[in-house]
């Protein structure tokens, strides 16, 4: 029986997922990110110390576990890959070369309400850069470039990366005279969910804002631009603060670098805050054109205080692709297709049962040369063996004989072939994933 929020893809969907992961992995490695995998569980205290996540954490315990077990001994499944990564860096900092660039592609678990594109168990693909003491800002500008290259390699609609900087928001709120900037950020982050009127009311009620201050916060959140014009629009609001200046300069660098690399890739969106408390500077979210109503498919940001060991800090910046989220949305709209439902490129037909060993040798010769091959399951009539291949989208059927021949069952063309030299077109070697 299916369990809500725990997706299980069909084989053709899984092939699509694997092709996406191949593209993601290869792009990450082109930028110098090294692979890493961390454990699935973390001590509960670590998971609960990084923001408003307590309702989402899945606890792990034995069926017969002592009900009075101390909280510090409890384990939970990780809800993202950044918190485990920060813990890993602290524990292994003596063995790592800094700045440390890594990617992780792993499952994570969140106890939230399942809906289209949102799951309780899902796959994320993260990149992060972390350093000792200080992290050069140019790594913040690199994140959108990597993600932009990933998306350009995939058969998906155009994506726009929305960027902001928490220093802009916090400096602006400080300049307004609002002391509890963290609460203001949390409220403004709900703008798309509850609307400006409720945000304004919540700012007055929970953050001590006056109506004028709440209106100014909303005016900042309305600013959006694909170029550096957002700076003048913020200045026009008449608020000054050193942290605001620092944030505007950083955000401008991100926008200008991305525009040079890939015009239209990023948009400064000053309502973006991100819900997790550990972000301290640049923040990212991504919208897929035509799927904006479903929210962000990648997100991340700068965190200066997430990891430390003694007096040594390990600031970092990272971004995460919600792989299951992205695929779930595209599968839901039937937006992707794959050329076949199995990896097999060629089926070796079996003329009779006593010829199976010979057919196995042919398949082995093809496999040694990197051609995915399987032998037909039975020595049925050739017409039925061709149907076996056709139903699975397998393009070629090999017929042993004197000489051997191979047939492209799509065109009907049949040619003489040798298992030690025949090569299918590169496009046929593996299943092809495309937009529908």
């Amino acid at each position: 029986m299916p369990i809500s929020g725990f997706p299980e893809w069909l084989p053709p969907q899984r092939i699509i997922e694997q092709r996406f992961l191949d593209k993601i992995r290869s792009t990450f490695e082109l930028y110098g990110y090294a692979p890493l995998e961390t454990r699935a569980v973390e001590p509960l205290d670590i998971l609960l110390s990084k923001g408003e996540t307590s309702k989402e954490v899945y606890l792990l315990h034995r069926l017969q576990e002592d009900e009075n077990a101390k909280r510090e001994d409890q384990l939970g499944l990780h809800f993202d890959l950044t918190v485990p990564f920060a813990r890993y860096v602290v524990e292994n900092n003596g063995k790592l070369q800094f700045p440390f660039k890594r990617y992780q592609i792993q499952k994570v678990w969140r106890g939230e309400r399942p809906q289209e594109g949102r799951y309780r168990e899902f796959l994320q693909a993260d990149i992060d850069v972390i350093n000792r003491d200080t992290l050069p800002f140019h790594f913040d500008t690199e994140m959108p470039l990597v993600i932009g290259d990933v998306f350009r390699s995939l058969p998906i609609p155009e994506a726009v990366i929305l960027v902001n900087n928490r220093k802009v928001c916090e400096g602006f709120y400080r300049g307004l005279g609002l002391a509890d900037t963290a609460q203001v950020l949390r409220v403004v982050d709900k703008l798309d969910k509850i609307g400006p009127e409720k945000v304004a009311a919540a700012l007055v009620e929970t953050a001590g804002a006056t109506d004028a201050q709440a209106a100014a916060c909303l005016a900042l959140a309305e600013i959006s631009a694909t170029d550096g014009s957002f700076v003048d629009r913020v200045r026009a609001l008449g608020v000054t603060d050193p942290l605001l200046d620092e944030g505007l300069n950083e955000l401008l660098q991100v926008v200008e670098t991305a525009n040079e690399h890939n015009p239209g890739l990023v948009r400064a969106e000053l309502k973006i805050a991100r819900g997790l408390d550990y972000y301290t500077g640049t923040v990212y979210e991504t919208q897929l054109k035509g799927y904006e109503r479903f929210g962000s498919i990648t997100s991340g940001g700068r965190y200066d205080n997430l990891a430390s060991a003694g007096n040594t800090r390990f600031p970092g910046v990272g971004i995460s692709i919600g792989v299951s989220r992205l695929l779930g949305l595209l599968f839901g709209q039937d937006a992707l297709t794959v050329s076949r439902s199995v990896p097999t490129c060629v089926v070796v037909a079996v003329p009779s049962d006593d010829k199976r060993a010979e057919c196995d040798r042919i398949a082995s010769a093809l496999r040694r040369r990197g051609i995915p091959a399987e032998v037909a399951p039975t020595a049925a009539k050739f017409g039925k063996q061709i149907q076996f291949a056709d139903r699975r989208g397998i393009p070629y059927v090999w017929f042993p004989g004197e000489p051997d021949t191979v047939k492209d069952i799509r065109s009907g063309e049949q040619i003489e072939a040798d298992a030690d030299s025949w090569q299918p077109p590169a496009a046929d070697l593996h299943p092809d994933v495309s937009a529908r």
Side-chain angles (χ1 to χ4, degrees):
M1 183 181 75
I3 302 175
S4 178
F6 293 82
E8 294 179 318
W9 306 134
L10 292 168
Q13 294 172 319
R14 179 69 172 148
I15 288 174
I16 292 172
E17 181 183 59
Q18 289 297 307
R19 292 293 172 268
F20 272 50
L21 294 178
D22 289 343
K23 294 287 189 182
I24 292 168
R25 188 181 298 110
S26 63
T27 305
F28 287 171
E29 292 185 355
L30 282 174
Y31 278 83
Y33 291 83
L36 183 69
E37 183 168 310
T38 56
R39 64 200 184 203
V41 298
E42 295 292 336
L44 186 59
D45 282 353
I46 288 179
L47 295 175
L48 296 186
S49 66
K50 308 305 178 186
E52 296 183 343
T53 57
S54 58
K55 294 179 182 177
E56 297 184 356
V57 174
Y58 278 110
L59 289 179
L60 193 74
H61 64 83
R62 298 190 308 275
L63 189 61
Q64 302 298 327
E65 193 167 65
D66 181 3
E67 292 181 2
N68 299 316
K70 297 178 181 178
R71 174 173 148 168
E72 58 263 30
D73 296 329
Q74 289 185 297
L75 299 176
L77 294 170
H78 57 220
F79 60 83
D80 75 354
L81 299 177
T82 307
V83 170
F85 174 56
R87 186 268 311 157
Y88 177 91
V89 168
V90 170
E91 291 180 1
N92 294 279
N93 72 86
K95 305 170 188 174
L96 303 175
Q97 297 295 319
F98 292 95
F100 180 44
K101 301 175 71 171
R102 81 84 176 86
Y103 72 86
Q104 269 179 267
I105 302 175
Q106 281 183 249
K107 292 282 184 73
V108 299
W109 294 267
R110 289 184 190 173
E112 57 184 2
R113 184 172 64 87
Q115 50 190 298
E116 189 171 8
R118 284 199 177 276
Y119 304 105
R120 292 171 173 169
E121 177 186 70
F122 53 96
L123 192 65
Q124 284 191 183
D126 283 29
I127 51 169
D128 284 83
V129 186
I130 209 161
N131 201 30
R132 288 183 190 271
D133 301 321
T134 60
L135 180 70
F137 185 76
H138 64 79
F139 288 115
D140 289 48
T141 69
E142 182 176 274
M143 294 290 142
L145 310 189
V146 182
I147 298 303
D149 285 358
V150 167
F151 286 159
R152 283 195 291 187
S153 75
L154 300 174
I156 63 174
E158 186 179 351
V160 178
I161 301 175
L162 312 178
V163 294
N164 194 8
N165 193 303
R166 281 201 171 181
K167 294 175 185 176
V168 172
C169 300
E170 291 185 35
F172 187 86
Y173 304 152
R174 271 195 216 169
L176 282 175
L178 292 168
D180 192 353
T181 57
Q183 177 60 17
V184 179
L185 275 170
R186 281 192 287 269
V187 174
V188 173
D189 194 44
K190 299 174 182 176
L191 189 57
D192 285 341
K193 293 180 181 177
I194 65 176
E197 289 184 10
K198 289 185 178 177
V199 165
L203 288 173
V204 172
E205 185 177 335
T206 68
T210 65
D211 289 340
Q213 288 171 326
C217 293
L218 289 172
L220 179 72
E222 288 173 1
I223 295 174
S224 172
T226 56
D227 56 22
S229 62
F230 68 88
V231 176
D232 290 337
R233 293 173 63 185
V234 174
R235 300 277 188 222
L237 296 177
V239 176
T240 58
D241 183 87
L243 189 63
L244 172 61
D245 295 337
E246 185 180 331
L248 287 172
N249 288 334
E250 290 182 353
L251 186 54
L252 185 62
Q253 286 184 58
V254 174
V255 172
E256 289 183 339
T257 303
N259 273 334
E260 183 177 337
H261 179 79
N262 186 355
L265 174 63
V266 306
R267 185 170 79 232
E269 194 74 51
L270 272 59
K271 66 182 177 183
I272 301 298
R274 301 294 307 135
L276 293 169
D277 289 347
Y278 53 66
Y279 294 122
T280 55
T282 312
V283 287
Y284 316 94
E285 290 190 354
T286 304
Q287 289 183 344
L288 206 60
K289 289 194 175 177
Y291 295 79
E292 291 88 350
R293 68 189 183 280
F294 295 109
S296 181
I297 55 165
T298 73
S299 57
R302 175 82 173 218
Y303 46 92
D304 287 320
N305 307 309
L306 186 57
S308 61
N311 293 324
T312 305
R313 283 192 316 148
F314 298 95
V317 63
I319 194 165
S320 170
I321 302 172
V323 179
S324 300
R325 179 167 173 69
L326 171 62
L327 287 171
L329 294 173
L330 295 171
F331 289 158
Q333 299 299 311
D334 200 23
L336 295 170
T337 183
V338 64
S339 59
R340 55 187 187 259
S341 62
V342 293
T344 311
C345 174
V346 55
V347 168
V348 180
V350 180
S352 59
D353 286 332
D354 62 340
K355 299 278 189 181
R356 181 166 290 278
E358 178 187 340
C359 297
D360 287 339
R361 285 192 289 273
I362 292 169
S364 293
L366 293 168
R367 292 179 196 129
R368 280 196 296 272
R369 297 174 44 246
I371 301 170
E374 63 178 289
V375 179
T378 64
K381 291 180 179 179
F382 279 163
K384 287 200 171 182
Q385 296 190 56
I386 291 171
Q387 282 182 349
F388 170 83
D390 188 44
R391 282 197 301 269
R392 290 158 178 78
I394 300 168
Y396 297 98
V397 176
W398 191 284
F399 297 101
E402 297 290 341
D404 288 1
T405 60
V406 65
K407 181 173 186 174
D408 183 337
I409 63 174
R410 299 161 300 183
S411 66
E413 181 185 9
Q414 189 164 335
I415 60 170
E416 292 185 11
D418 185 295
D420 292 323
S421 60
W422 176 78
Q423 188 70 31
D428 289 336
L429 195 57
H430 302 291
D432 179 56
V433 177
S434 57
R436 196 181 288 275

